[in-house]
Amino acid sequence: MSVRVTVWNENVHEREDPAVAERYPDGIHGTIASSLEADGYVVETATLQEPEHGLSESVLDETDVLVWWSHCANDEVSDDVATRVVDAVHGGTGFVPLHSGKNSKPFTQLMGTTCNIKYRHGGETERVWVVDPGHPIANGLDEYFEIPATEMYGEPYDIPEPDRTVFVSWFEGGEVFRSGVCYRRGRGRIFAFRPGHEEYPIFYQDEVQRVISNAVAWAAPNEGATVNWGNVESVESLDE
Amino acid sequence: MSVRVTVWNENVHEREDPAVAERYPDGIHGTIASSLEADGYVVETATLQEPEHGLSESVLDETDVLVWWSHCANDEVSDDVATRVVDAVHGGTGFVPLHSGKNSKPFTQLMGTTCNIKYRHGGETERVWVVDPGHPIANGLDEYFEIPATEMYGEPYDIPEPDRTVFVSWFEGGEVFRSGVCYRRGRGRIFAFRPGHEEYPIFYQDEVQRVISNAVAWAAPNEGATVNWGNVESVESLDE
Amino acid sequence: MSVRVTVWNENVHEREDPAVAERYPDGIHGTIASSLEADGYVVETATLQEPEHGLSESVLDETDVLVWWSHCANDEVSDDVATRVVDAVHGGTGFVPLHSGKNSKPFTQLMGTTCNIKYRHGGETERVWVVDPGHPIANGLDEYFEIPATEMYGEPYDIPEPDRTVFVSWFEGGEVFRSGVCYRRGRGRIFAFRPGHEEYPIFYQDEVQRVISNAVAWAAPNEGATVNWGNVESVESLDE
Amino acid sequence: MSVRVTVWNENVHEREDPAVAERYPDGIHGTIASSLEADGYVVETATLQEPEHGLSESVLDETDVLVWWSHCANDEVSDDVATRVVDAVHGGTGFVPLHSGKNSKPFTQLMGTTCNIKYRHGGETERVWVVDPGHPIANGLDEYFEIPATEMYGEPYDIPEPDRTVFVSWFEGGEVFRSGVCYRRGRGRIFAFRPGHEEYPIFYQDEVQRVISNAVAWAAPNEGATVNWGNVESVESLDE
């Protein structure tokens, strides 16, 4: 049964900046969605401007993995929708925040930290090294791939110690960054992936598309075990 | 230099339930504070009923480790104070939630999960096993200690995979529970300790006092390294 | 493509103890193999008594996941074969030690610890609680399952802090144990599962068979990324 | 009570290579020992050439933390002494392997992995970034420090996912490396620190000395809890 993906985008730069609109005529969400459809996923898109940001209960109920791009409008996401996304992740929905999606309400709420970084605009080279070559999110990659021009993110990245660190980036300007990190919260798998600044055609790059596709496969929910929370009777007899 | 501890208590049961008031005439906070003072810590107390719940900026600025007991009034803690505590932990303040402090706003916000459990009242036996005998929070303990009568907490405990699990409890009624778990969020160390129901004199028990004292020592902040976040110049020359 | 499993058994109790032989007429390996075949895996078996213990290079090359039962003959496994198994795990072969397989040379070498425990014979009840209900190894389980009579294993279990703890057991005699723990070493996934003493028909139990089957699916290797180790040329120009 | 440190060095380059002998006239161990003594530790040294490599039972019994430098002679360490060191770490002795100490028998046996890397000689710049500024091993550091000329180590570094990653290095030639990683095995704390090639005066550098000193303080043993392993009586009554 196919994994159902919702690609969410704040979709602001594409509407306000002609250069971004030209680069991503279908929006960053459209480019990512096309790439995932080509890999056989069932893909929908949703954006900030739609009612409930396109993330109604029914949309989330039919989403196995939520891919999330955001940047300048993280604060415009309503608290209700952010909470709904967090609840969905707790229930098993995979969550793949891209680039500044690390500053989104759902991601920071799931992490419990500031997710602060250092950054720099300027279009320098990034070399993304695979530090966990056995991880399924690295499937099919060489030992590194390069992004010819990008915004820099630098350490310290204020996140909880990751369950697994898959990628560490080298930047031309002298910094390093944990560019691909894995977590679980409740039943949901989370993979935060650094690349993807809107000023560059990064989401057309083969390796970036492959990582996102691998991450969706990895983050898809599984059945798991049943759970009973709350007030319970004892299993063993307690009469004495 | 002595570690400065603030023991916070919602202080509701002690004021509303005569049996609890008789058991803890100085409040649960008072009992814990006395025990920590005897170990050489500099201790203050604070309660829900005080202005800003007794946790003003200046109080938190002078707190190295915040010990937190709460149960029925978790929702009455203001969002502002909860955020202030979370920010303090990110900055390095140690945080030791006891018993239902696991449901407090600061702890759940730091974890990013529901922290759900199963539970049962009835006064059964709990045997707290040390599963990490090399951990400093286990200093001076035997391989287990027993709480003769307590409320039960049972798995699954909906928390992120702990950095370290120090204690796992066995319950007479047939359940198990990860009763002592360690995390870091930002610069702050967190230790959530299960025992401590208000219906029993648990905070007078030697082993419980010792664990809390050990946890305070473990959670005390250290200097660490300096950090620069935000927009930065490159270290390497990027002129081309 | 089907996952290829090799079920290895020291196969000593079955040959020396008539009660065990009657309980497991095809050997513990035979019982486990039948159960896995019924789930669609391609299964072979191997035992201590075969040349190279049935674990030649070519057998390991064609093994995706190695299930391992051992108890009284852990020391009789040759160092060469143990090293071969460790190397295979580093290269991606899944490894599922059962019961006293925790004391096997490959497992202790992969862990780097003593793997010591406490234990007791006597046929008491074990209740295996799912503490990580979102984990794929818990797929299809209720919140716990019981083993009516078994040998006890008790904490502290001297292992590295697990990547994930899936099961924690409650024992009638008063102990607890982390009965299902996950690790990765190199490219290989490892799941150590406690139940399975030879004196009881535990490997005929539905839940036990299901856990082993889930563990095999979870531990199967994936493609991953390419790796280059050793002396390398620089990526960036270093001429100056 | 002062922490007792033993600084172990294979001491081969210093005896065979005049340039190294001139750089480290008291041996690398002597330079490190002087620096640690200046910080108030009680320090002894030991080398490969001494009987039992200077690591007799009685020496290890009186060692709180073992700092270890090795490179070309890792295979010349006897299996007996390697096992003795591993046992000491299990019992609580801190272990701080420096540079190619990552290939030493004790470290690889404690990790259970190959500890493979890529490397390059040539004297390029390394910038060691603090990625965990709240860690005590980072006490007193700026956000990074530079080593002007060194051997490169590059990812993937085949180690278990670290308990904490404190440092990540950027190399002029384009690689990255997890240069400071923390583990626990049994009661013992382990910190593997990358810098320190014999061809450069790295162990005279302030930041490197500070990291080693911090690591010794962090790795010093604590009391912990008592442990009973082996065959035990039940805590609860099992008569029926």
Side-chain angles (χ1 to χ4, degrees):
Chain A
M1 198 172 56
S2 285
V3 174
R4 301 163 301 173
V5 186
T6 298
V7 180
W8 189 89
N9 181 11
E10 64 176 35
N11 196 30
V12 173
H13 297 294
E14 294 92 329
R15 296 165 0 122
E16 299 185 353
D17 181 337
V20 177
E22 187 174 4
R23 190 171 300 115
Y24 291 110
D26 301 319
I28 284 175
H29 51 295
T31 299
I32 295 171
S34 296
S35 148
L36 289 171
E37 278 169 351
D39 284 351
Y41 295 109
V42 175
V43 187
E44 301 287 338
T45 63
T47 59
L48 179 68
Q49 296 78 25
E50 299 173 40
E52 303 182 67
H53 311 325
L55 296 173
S56 63
E57 284 285 358
S58 65
V59 164
L60 286 176
D61 284 351
E62 294 174 6
T63 297
D64 293 318
V65 180
L66 178 62
V67 176
W68 179 289
W69 195 95
S70 59
H71 187 201
C72 62
N74 277 316
D75 288 346
E76 295 176 34
V77 172
S78 79
D79 288 346
D80 281 356
V81 169
T83 299
R84 192 182 293 159
V85 169
V86 167
D87 291 349
V89 173
H90 289 165
T93 305
F95 184 52
V96 182
L98 304 172
H99 196 54
S100 294
K102 74 166 190 62
N103 288 118
S104 66
K105 290 181 180 179
F107 185 66
T108 54
Q109 288 175 20
L110 288 160
M111 292 297 101
T113 58
T114 67
C115 303
N116 283 342
I117 58 161
K118 53 169 59 77
Y119 63 90
R120 176 173 58 244
H121 288 267
E124 67 200 89
T125 300
E126 173 181 10
R127 183 171 301 108
V128 183
W129 285 94
V130 178
V131 303
D132 186 0
H135 200 284
I137 294 179
N139 278 353
L141 294 176
D142 286 334
E143 60 174 358
Y144 67 81
F145 62 92
E146 291 184 359
I147 296 173
T150 191
E151 182 190 9
M152 182 279 296
Y153 277 11
E155 295 279 350
Y157 183 13
D158 184 25
I159 47 175
E161 188 78 16
D163 291 350
R164 306 281 319 174
T165 299
V166 183
F167 303 114
V168 172
S169 288
W170 178 100
F171 287 95
E172 189 182 356
E175 289 85 1
V176 296
F177 195 76
R178 290 169 289 174
S179 282
V181 289
C182 298
Y183 294 94
R184 188 122 69 73
R185 291 291 180 270
R187 291 172 183 260
R189 286 173 187 75
I190 301 165
F191 177 71
F193 187 48
R194 195 211 85 80
H197 195 55
E198 75 278 0
E199 296 174 358
Y200 308 97
I202 292 168
F203 290 113
Y204 293 103
Q205 193 169 335
D206 277 355
E207 298 96 332
V208 171
Q209 291 186 353
R210 179 176 290 243
V211 169
I212 297 172
S213 181
N214 287 345
V216 165
W218 171 82
N222 55 281
E223 179 187 7
T226 55
V227 161
N228 294 302
W229 283 318
N231 202 341
V232 296
E233 297 295 307
S234 68
V235 188
E236 300 288 318
S237 168
L238 286 173
D239 44 35
E240 56 227 272
Chain B
M1 198 172 53
S2 285
V3 175
R4 301 163 301 174
V5 185
T6 299
V7 180
W8 190 89
N9 181 11
E10 65 177 33
N11 197 27
V12 173
H13 297 295
E14 293 91 331
R15 298 167 357 123
E16 299 184 353
D17 181 338
V20 177
E22 187 175 2
R23 191 171 299 113
Y24 292 110
D26 300 320
I28 285 175
H29 52 294
T31 300
I32 296 171
S34 296
S35 147
L36 290 171
E37 278 167 353
D39 285 350
Y41 296 109
V42 175
V43 187
E44 302 286 338
T45 63
T47 59
L48 179 69
Q49 296 78 25
E50 299 172 39
E52 303 183 70
H53 311 325
L55 296 173
S56 64
E57 284 285 358
S58 65
V59 165
L60 287 176
D61 284 350
E62 293 173 7
T63 297
D64 292 319
V65 180
L66 177 62
V67 176
W68 180 288
W69 196 96
S70 60
H71 187 201
C72 63
N74 277 317
D75 288 346
E76 295 176 34
V77 173
S78 80
D79 288 347
D80 280 356
V81 169
T83 298
R84 193 182 293 161
V85 169
V86 167
D87 290 349
V89 174
H90 290 164
T93 306
F95 184 53
V96 182
L98 303 172
H99 196 55
S100 294
K102 73 164 193 63
N103 288 118
S104 66
K105 288 181 181 179
F107 185 66
T108 55
Q109 287 175 20
L110 288 161
M111 293 295 102
T113 59
T114 67
C115 302
N116 282 341
I117 57 162
K118 53 169 59 76
Y119 63 92
R120 176 174 57 246
H121 289 266
E124 67 200 271
T125 299
E126 173 181 10
R127 183 172 300 109
V128 183
W129 285 94
V130 178
V131 303
D132 186 0
H135 201 282
I137 294 179
N139 279 353
L141 294 176
D142 286 334
E143 60 174 357
Y144 68 80
F145 62 93
E146 292 185 357
I147 296 173
T150 192
E151 182 191 9
M152 184 279 296
Y153 278 11
E155 295 278 351
Y157 184 12
D158 184 26
I159 47 175
E161 188 78 14
D163 291 350
R164 305 285 315 178
T165 299
V166 183
F167 303 114
V168 172
S169 288
W170 178 100
F171 287 94
E172 189 182 357
E175 288 85 1
V176 295
F177 195 75
R178 290 170 288 174
S179 282
V181 289
C182 299
Y183 295 94
R184 188 120 70 73
R185 291 293 180 269
R187 290 171 184 262
R189 286 172 186 75
I190 302 164
F191 177 70
F193 188 47
R194 194 212 86 80
H197 195 54
E198 75 279 0
E199 295 174 358
Y200 309 97
I202 292 169
F203 290 112
Y204 294 104
Q205 193 170 334
D206 278 355
E207 299 96 332
V208 170
Q209 291 186 351
R210 179 177 290 243
V211 169
I212 296 172
S213 181
N214 287 345
V216 166
W218 171 82
N222 55 282
E223 179 186 7
T226 55
V227 161
N228 294 302
W229 283 318
N231 202 340
V232 296
E233 297 295 308
S234 67
V235 188
E236 300 288 318
S237 167
L238 286 173
D239 44 35
E240 56 230 270
Chain C
M1 198 172 55
S2 284
V3 174
R4 301 163 303 174
V5 185
T6 299
V7 180
W8 190 88
N9 182 11
E10 63 177 34
N11 196 30
V12 173
H13 298 293
E14 294 92 329
R15 296 165 2 123
E16 299 185 353
D17 181 338
V20 177
E22 186 175 3
R23 192 172 299 115
Y24 291 109
D26 301 319
I28 285 175
H29 52 294
T31 300
I32 295 171
S34 296
S35 148
L36 290 172
E37 278 168 351
D39 285 350
Y41 295 108
V42 175
V43 186
E44 301 287 339
T45 63
T47 59
L48 178 68
Q49 297 77 26
E50 300 172 40
E52 303 182 68
H53 312 325
L55 296 173
S56 63
E57 284 286 358
S58 65
V59 164
L60 286 176
D61 285 349
E62 293 173 6
T63 296
D64 293 319
V65 180
L66 176 63
V67 176
W68 179 288
W69 196 96
S70 59
H71 187 200
C72 62
N74 277 316
D75 289 346
E76 295 176 34
V77 173
S78 80
D79 288 347
D80 281 356
V81 169
T83 298
R84 193 182 292 161
V85 169
V86 167
D87 290 350
V89 174
H90 289 165
T93 305
F95 184 52
V96 182
L98 304 172
H99 196 54
S100 294
K102 73 164 193 63
N103 287 118
S104 66
K105 290 181 181 179
F107 186 66
T108 55
Q109 289 176 20
L110 288 161
M111 293 297 101
T113 58
T114 67
C115 302
N116 282 342
I117 58 162
K118 53 170 58 78
Y119 63 91
R120 177 174 57 246
H121 288 267
E124 67 200 270
T125 299
E126 174 181 9
R127 183 172 301 109
V128 183
W129 285 94
V130 178
V131 303
D132 187 359
H135 200 284
I137 294 179
N139 279 353
L141 293 176
D142 286 335
E143 59 174 356
Y144 67 80
F145 63 92
E146 292 184 359
I147 296 173
T150 191
E151 181 191 10
M152 183 279 296
Y153 278 12
E155 295 279 350
Y157 184 13
D158 185 25
I159 47 175
E161 187 78 15
D163 291 350
R164 307 282 315 176
T165 299
V166 183
F167 302 114
V168 172
S169 289
W170 178 101
F171 287 94
E172 189 182 355
E175 289 86 1
V176 295
F177 196 76
R178 289 170 289 173
S179 283
V181 290
C182 300
Y183 295 94
R184 188 120 71 74
R185 291 292 181 268
R187 290 171 184 261
R189 285 172 187 76
I190 302 164
F191 177 69
F193 188 47
R194 194 211 84 80
H197 195 54
E198 75 278 0
E199 296 174 358
Y200 309 96
I202 291 169
F203 290 114
Y204 294 103
Q205 194 170 332
D206 278 354
E207 299 96 332
V208 171
Q209 292 186 351
R210 179 176 292 243
V211 169
I212 297 171
S213 180
N214 288 344
V216 166
W218 171 83
N222 55 280
E223 180 186 6
T226 55
V227 161
N228 294 302
W229 282 318
N231 202 341
V232 297
E233 297 294 307
S234 68
V235 188
E236 300 287 319
S237 167
L238 285 173
D239 44 35
E240 58 229 86
Chain D
M1 198 172 53
S2 284
V3 174
R4 301 163 301 172
V5 186
T6 299
V7 180
W8 190 88
N9 182 12
E10 64 175 35
N11 197 28
V12 174
H13 298 294
E14 294 91 331
R15 297 165 359 121
E16 299 185 352
D17 181 339
V20 178
E22 185 175 5
R23 191 171 299 115
Y24 291 110
D26 301 318
I28 285 175
H29 52 295
T31 300
I32 295 172
S34 296
S35 147
L36 290 171
E37 278 168 354
D39 284 351
Y41 296 108
V42 176
V43 187
E44 302 287 338
T45 63
T47 58
L48 179 68
Q49 296 78 25
E50 299 172 38
E52 302 183 69
H53 312 325
L55 296 174
S56 64
E57 283 287 357
S58 65
V59 165
L60 286 176
D61 284 350
E62 293 173 6
T63 297
D64 293 318
V65 180
L66 176 63
V67 176
W68 179 289
W69 197 95
S70 59
H71 187 203
C72 62
N74 277 317
D75 288 346
E76 295 176 33
V77 173
S78 80
D79 288 347
D80 281 355
V81 169
T83 298
R84 192 182 293 161
V85 169
V86 167
D87 290 349
V89 174
H90 290 165
T93 305
F95 184 53
V96 182
L98 304 172
H99 196 55
S100 294
K102 72 163 195 64
N103 287 118
S104 66
K105 289 181 181 180
F107 186 66
T108 55
Q109 288 175 19
L110 288 160
M111 294 296 102
T113 58
T114 66
C115 303
N116 283 341
I117 57 161
K118 54 169 58 76
Y119 64 90
R120 177 175 55 245
H121 289 266
E124 67 199 90
T125 299
E126 174 181 10
R127 183 172 299 109
V128 183
W129 285 93
V130 178
V131 303
D132 187 0
H135 201 283
I137 294 179
N139 278 352
L141 294 176
D142 286 334
E143 60 175 356
Y144 68 80
F145 62 93
E146 291 184 358
I147 295 173
T150 191
E151 181 191 11
M152 184 279 296
Y153 277 11
E155 295 277 351
Y157 184 13
D158 185 24
I159 47 174
E161 187 78 14
D163 291 351
R164 307 283 318 175
T165 299
V166 183
F167 302 114
V168 172
S169 288
W170 178 100
F171 287 95
E172 189 182 356
E175 288 85 1
V176 295
F177 195 76
R178 289 170 289 174
S179 282
V181 290
C182 299
Y183 295 93
R184 189 121 70 73
R185 291 292 181 268
R187 290 171 184 261
R189 285 173 187 74
I190 302 164
F191 177 69
F193 188 48
R194 195 211 85 79
H197 195 54
E198 75 278 359
E199 296 174 358
Y200 309 98
I202 292 169
F203 289 113
Y204 294 103
Q205 192 168 335
D206 277 354
E207 299 96 331
V208 171
Q209 292 186 352
R210 179 176 290 244
V211 169
I212 296 172
S213 181
N214 288 345
V216 165
W218 171 83
N222 55 282
E223 179 186 6
T226 55
V227 161
N228 295 301
W229 283 317
N231 202 341
V232 296
E233 296 295 308
S234 67
V235 188
E236 301 287 319
S237 167
L238 286 173
D239 45 35
E240 58 227 87

